[in-house]
Amino acid sequence: MKTFLLHKDRDFHPNARWSDNDSALHKDMDLGRLIAAMSADDDYVADVAQLVLRAPLTTVEDIEYRQHVLMDVLENPEVVRGLYALATETIEAERKIYRSIFSHSPSAILRQAIQSLEMMATVLEQLRTVCQDSRAGFRSPGFLRFFDMVLQELDEKYLAEINAHLRQLRFKDGMLIAASLGRANKGTDYTLSNQSPDPRNWLQRLSGKRQESFTFRINDRDEAGFRALGELEGHGIDLAANVLAQSDDHIMNFIKMLRQELAFFVGCINLEAAFLDADAPLCFPKPETAQAMVCSARDLRDVSLTVARKGVVVGNDINADNKSLIMVTGANEGGKSTFLRSLGTAQLMMQCGMFVCAQYFGASIVSGIYSHYKREEDASLKSGKLDEELERMSAIADTAKGHAMVLFNESFSSTNEREGTVIARDVIRALVDSGMRVVFVTHFYELTEDVHALHTSGALLLKAGRTPSGERTFTVEEGAPERTSYGPDLYARVFAEPELAPSAPNTSL
């Protein structure tokens, strides 16, 4: 039995090992807030959400398959939460089944497996009932296949047969073991036999003649005798115990996989609620092939600020179709870094089959998302900041493939503008020539001017928006780079009257 809700043809097998890029992306995109909103204080949901976000999909077909499943989830949240709760309670109940230090003996294995399977049989009946009652409300291929599998595999006849076998394995009428005599009359080929029920009623059995049999009794104080009898029993039930234990493991693995995959979708339900509470837009993005070179959005907002509910979060419109390079310039605290984070997070969420915080978002699939942000001073560094930046850039270059997305935020600013411009220009050229999409936030005027002159057709130039009076709009707009550093803005903030100084809401970072 397979769930096939996250993937159409395989189980979800997360990579437990964190790479340097995973850590950098988690920090730079502020994914901690996104995961916290998805978890709603459920640590297991948080862990699964983190694992899924580290394993983005890379084909349009796979993304749309998961999107359709998620659409069903958002239309039937109570059913999905109920299935998740059922799986969670089952796993917790299984953990409470007593396991002694003698749990490796055949009799102990059989006893534990019976106890677990009896509990599991009830769960499977509940699962079948939920699937039967809920199937009509779902339309996605993923959920329809899941429901049909449960209804076919766990029909009433099969569940009744399971319960009958479990009752028989309790051996309330004794145990019948067949064996052969081997060398020196030692027992071999022990087989647990199926006892045929006595067709006579209780009156016939009471008054009828008993069948002849050979019996022996063990004295209550004969420890060796009881030990020998226990060994005979172990030989007889060993095969049955192992088969039953494997069946128990198989069903439990299915329940665990169901819980894991549903945990991600429960996280999406929680995230949708957070978006609605923040009055934020929500849409399912349109994935395109990597060769299409598409990137456009309407009212794209930063998820981190949205779920943190730090005031009104403004959105951005962007049309970067057929553009392999996006350069963003402008005054500090103008929303450049927020825009960069919103774009990177939306790309990641799209490739995880999620909705995004926008009225519309469409983008080409990328082979990987990499971030190269300016870092604060670190006393543990054994070399200068520029060497550290170049080392991180080298690691990205070693692992990034064609059609990757690389996000830069004030990179190479640890040196002077002339040297930083030369380094950044060569890095951008190499990445773009390799077929990657580059989004670069910088205050280097010389760099943006060079890009404007050399990459007019393949580059989109954006700048932080501001009103004629100098107030930040915290949006980005299309436009050529400007040489000014907005010194009057700084002067007004420091020396002018308070009412003349432009105020900045707390939505910027």
Side-chain angles (χ1 to χ4, degrees), residues 6 16 30 62 114 175 184 195 244 251 260 324 326 404 456:
L6 284 177
D30 200 9
D62 289 341
I114 290 173
M175 187 183 302
Q195 283 186 291
L244 213 61
I251 297 175
Q260 183 180 54
S324 56
I326 302 174
T456 305

Side-chain angles (χ1 to χ4, degrees), residues 64-138:
E64 291 180 341
Y65 177 86
R66 191 178 295 176
Q67 282 182 343
H68 292 152
V69 172
L70 180 53
M71 291 175 189
D72 265 348
V73 167
L74 298 183
E75 291 180 3
N76 302 273
E78 294 307 317
V79 175
V80 175
R81 287 190 185 276
L83 288 172
Y84 174 71
L86 178 63
T88 301
E89 291 166 3
T90 303
I91 293 170
E92 292 300 320
E94 198 272 342
R95 288 174 180 166
K96 295 177 181 179
I97 293 176
Y98 175 72
R99 286 172 171 79
S100 70
I101 59 174
F102 305 106
S103 59
H104 295 297
S105 67
S107 59
I109 292 173
L110 182 65
R111 183 179 61 255
Q112 293 163 10
I114 290 173
Q115 188 177 354
S116 179
L117 284 171
E118 285 179 338
M119 179 268 296
M120 220 86 71
T122 302
V123 171
L124 294 179
E125 289 179 3
Q126 294 174 342
L127 177 60
R128 174 181 167 78
T129 300
V130 172
C131 294
Q132 198 167 27
D133 296 343
S134 307
R135 188 188 185 283
F138 289 75

Side-chain angles (χ1 to χ4, degrees), residues 386-447:
L386 180 60
D387 289 339
E388 186 270 338
E389 286 193 275
L390 293 174
E391 184 177 348
R392 282 192 288 123
M393 187 64 243
S394 177
I396 292 175
D398 289 340
T399 56
K401 302 176 182 178
H403 301 298
M405 171 184 273
V406 188
L407 309 172
F408 293 90
N409 191 16
E410 303 291 0
S411 298
F412 314 116
S413 58
S414 56
T415 184
N416 60 71
E417 181 171 355
R418 183 178 295 271
E419 185 177 19
T421 295
V422 172
I423 296 172
R425 185 174 57 218
D426 290 344
V427 168
I428 290 172
R429 181 183 295 117
L431 296 177
V432 170
D433 290 346
S434 299
M436 302 185 194
R437 168 165 277 165
V438 176
V439 188
F440 207 111
V441 170
T442 183
H443 65 270
F444 287 164
Y445 170 77
E446 210 175 308
L447 173 62

Side-chain angles (χ1 to χ4, degrees), residues 24 73 124 165 256 259 274 290 351 361 372 384 411 425 445 448:
V73 167
L124 294 179
H165 285 313
K256 289 179 179 178
R259 182 199 185 199
Q351 292 196 215
F361 183 76
H372 189 278
S411 298
R425 185 174 57 218
Y445 170 77
T448 53

Side-chain angles (χ1 to χ4, degrees), residues 232-404:
L232 287 174
E233 179 186 280
H235 287 309
I237 66 174
D238 184 53
L239 180 59
N242 289 330
V243 170
L244 213 61
Q246 291 174 12
S247 300
D248 180 38
D249 290 341
H250 175 73
I251 297 175
M252 182 52 64
N253 287 336
F254 166 72
I255 296 295
K256 289 179 179 178
M257 183 57 66
L258 178 62
R259 182 199 185 199
Q260 183 180 54
E261 298 200 2
L262 288 176
F264 169 73
F265 294 111
V266 169
C268 291
I269 296 172
N270 296 333
L271 184 62
E272 182 198 33
F275 280 13
L276 294 176
D277 288 345
D279 196 23
L282 179 154
C283 74
F284 278 90
K286 188 175 187 303
E288 302 282 359
T289 61
Q291 294 75 18
M293 284 299 293
V294 172
C295 183
S296 58
R298 185 170 64 254
D299 196 14
L300 175 64
R301 302 190 189 183
D302 177 39
V303 173
S304 174
L305 291 178
T306 297
V307 299
R309 302 179 188 177
K310 292 193 172 183
V312 178
V313 181
V314 297
N316 281 289
D317 298 341
I318 178 177
N319 184 359
D321 293 350
N322 300 315
K323 305 292 185 182
S324 56
L325 173 61
I326 302 174
M327 294 289 294
V328 189
T329 60
N332 290 335
E333 298 185 356
K336 304 187 303 296
S337 298
T338 302
F339 164 74
L340 181 67
R341 189 170 60 228
S342 69
L343 183 59
T345 305
Q347 182 77 38
L348 179 61
M349 292 174 69
M350 181 192 77
Q351 292 196 215
C352 290
M354 301 172 66
F355 49 78
V356 299
C357 193
Q359 292 185 20
Y360 172 81
F361 183 76
S364 300
I365 295 171
V366 298
S367 59
I369 304 174
Y370 301 85
S371 63
H372 189 278
Y373 276 41
K374 179 180 66 175
R375 297 286 184 240
E376 300 299 327
E377 291 285 356
D378 186 352
S380 65
L381 289 178
K382 298 180 181 178
S383 56
K385 282 193 67 177
L386 180 60
D387 289 339
E388 186 270 338
E389 286 193 275
L390 293 174
E391 184 177 348
R392 282 192 288 123
M393 187 64 243
S394 177
I396 292 175
D398 289 340
T399 56
K401 302 176 182 178
H403 301 298

